[in-house]
Amino acid sequence: MKIKALKRLICGLSAFVLCFALLSFKSQASTKTDTVVNKGFKLKTVVIDPGHGGDHEGTGRRFSHGASGAYSHERDVTLAIAFKLQKAIEKDLSGIKVVLTRSTDEDVDWQKRADIANQNKGDVFISLHCNALPDKYIRERVGTKHHKPVYKTISVPDHSGRGVLMLVYSFKRQKEAENAVKNTQIEEEAQDDPTFDPNDPVNAILISEYKRKFRQKSINLANLINNELVDVDGRRSGGVIEESILVLCHTAMPAVLVETGFIDNPQDEDYLNSQKGQDEIVASIVRALQKYKDQVEQVAQQ
């Protein structure tokens, strides 16, 4: 009986020591992540990504020209809005640097766009696009056979889409998001800290915390932009949804893809190509960025 009691005592003491060690590790990890991830943040660099692009003759490169309307192309509209947005941010949000992932008609590979954002240490990534609906299929009567109607299924353009849509990266691509954070944020910490240990298990927690914060801020920024476009400009909206988009999850920062309108809808196409429409879209994004900046910088000071 005494031996059994002694064994129970030893097991109890071992469990207590293990729990204490785990709690101590968790406390140290929490302190480090809070210090690193929430340290005095200032919004300094905004990366603007004009979606798609054209091909330069003779290059032989594949390119993604994007959607088209009756008379305009997505790649041209997104670049025009991006130039205006760059000027507006630099004018209205003092001290913020704006980086464009492309400034010519030539398309840029999706991974290169993410690399440009990460290399420039962007604090926010906004990708500009125009939406479009695929053709719809209908059954059309084409004749009769044996006194019975004959039908044929045909595809016809669907111009019913209207309004804006905000996209953030989906949890389906978590591993890619983790790699982006590891290759950008964690390597930056290693350069700044001579005592940095790449094998420290706290780094796994740090990567998870960065990813969580970036996703949280992506959704917040997407909602801010969406609210401005809807409440101020009176645009229709499909809201904020998750999509497995490479360029979003490969950027180690809060990232939002803004579908500015349906270019294959006649009314939306006219709006997207008008000075009034482009100016309203730009103004809404700038107002949202100002609110986002105020929020994140206030939290960092607390």
Side-chain angles (χ1 to χ4, degrees):
M1 293 296 291
K2 289 183 179 179
I3 293 175
K4 289 184 178 179
L6 183 59
K7 285 183 177 179
R8 285 197 297 269
L9 177 61
I10 291 172
C11 288
L13 287 172
S14 298
F16 174 77
V17 171
L18 179 61
C19 288
F20 180 79
L22 289 172
L23 287 171
S24 177
F25 171 76
K26 185 176 180 181
S27 176
Q28 292 174 8
S30 177
T31 300
K32 181 173 180 179
T33 54
D34 287 345
T35 301
V36 174
V37 178
N38 296 318
K39 60 187 177 183
F41 176 82
K42 292 288 184 183
L43 187 63
K44 298 177 181 177
T45 304
V46 174
V47 181
I48 304 299
D49 175 46
H52 301 282
D55 185 31
H56 282 186
E57 187 176 352
T59 62
R61 292 174 56 246
R62 295 179 63 186
F63 68 101
S64 175
H65 57 76
S68 296
Y71 59 86
S72 63
H73 305 289
E74 177 178 9
R75 62 182 183 268
D76 299 323
V77 173
T78 58
L79 188 59
I81 295 174
F83 282 140
K84 290 185 177 183
L85 183 56
Q86 179 185 30
K87 291 180 180 178
I89 291 173
E90 292 174 343
K91 175 179 177 289
D92 298 335
L93 302 178
S94 61
I96 292 184
K97 172 186 174 184
V98 177
V99 175
L100 295 180
T101 58
R102 73 176 175 98
S103 56
T104 68
D105 179 62
E106 186 174 1
D107 189 25
V108 176
D109 178 78
W110 280 29
Q111 183 57 53
K112 187 175 181 181
R113 293 171 189 262
D115 291 342
I116 291 170
N118 293 332
Q119 289 164 6
N120 283 276
K121 300 187 182 341
D123 298 308
V124 162
F125 181 87
I126 299 176
S127 188
L128 301 171
H129 286 258
C130 298
N131 218 337
L133 289 176
D135 288 351
K136 60 184 178 181
Y137 293 90
I138 62 172
R139 285 173 56 79
E140 182 179 66
R141 183 171 177 173
V142 294
T144 59
K145 187 175 183 180
H146 303 304
H147 306 291
K148 293 182 179 180
V150 176
Y151 292 91
K152 180 181 179 181
T153 300
I154 61 172
S155 64
V156 296
D158 186 352
H159 301 307
S160 63
R162 290 290 304 274
V164 299
L165 181 68
M166 306 298 125
L167 304 179
V168 296
Y169 85 84
S170 168
F171 271 128
K172 295 177 182 178
R173 306 191 82 147
Q174 284 191 82
K175 194 64 180 177
E176 292 169 84
E178 288 177 5
N179 289 335
V181 171
K182 182 179 180 181
N183 295 334
T184 305
Q185 299 293 335
I186 302 303
E187 284 188 1
E188 184 178 334
E189 295 298 328
Q191 293 173 0
D192 295 339
D193 184 2
T195 65
F196 181 84
D197 180 6
N199 298 316
D200 188 344
V202 172
N203 291 327
I205 300 175
L206 193 60
I207 291 173
S208 178
E209 181 65 6
Y210 266 120
K211 189 181 68 173
R212 185 185 71 82
K213 286 284 187 182
F214 289 161
R215 177 175 171 75
Q216 185 182 63
K217 290 178 179 179
S218 297
I219 295 172
N220 180 35
L221 178 58
N223 278 310
L224 288 171
I225 296 173
N226 186 69
N227 290 344
E228 292 295 327
L229 290 167
V230 173
D231 297 342
V232 179
D233 300 338
R235 304 289 304 282
R236 297 182 187 180
S237 175
V240 178
I241 64 173
E242 299 177 355
E243 285 287 348
S244 297
I245 299 175
L246 183 149
V247 74
L248 295 183
C249 63
H250 283 210
T251 50
M253 63 201 69
V256 178
L257 189 150
V258 181
E259 296 281 10
T260 56
F262 282 81
I263 198 168
D264 60 345
N265 175 279
Q267 290 78 25
D268 267 16
E269 183 178 18
D270 289 344
Y271 182 81
L272 291 170
N273 282 276
S274 70
Q275 180 174 331
K276 175 180 180 291
Q278 293 182 3
D279 288 347
E280 286 184 353
I281 292 168
V282 166
S284 286
I285 295 176
V286 171
R287 286 193 303 271
L289 277 172
Q290 180 65 69
K291 291 179 179 179
Y292 175 84
K293 180 177 184 293
D294 293 342
Q295 289 177 3
V296 295
E297 291 183 357
Q298 182 179 8
V299 169
Q301 292 173 359
Q302 293 177 352

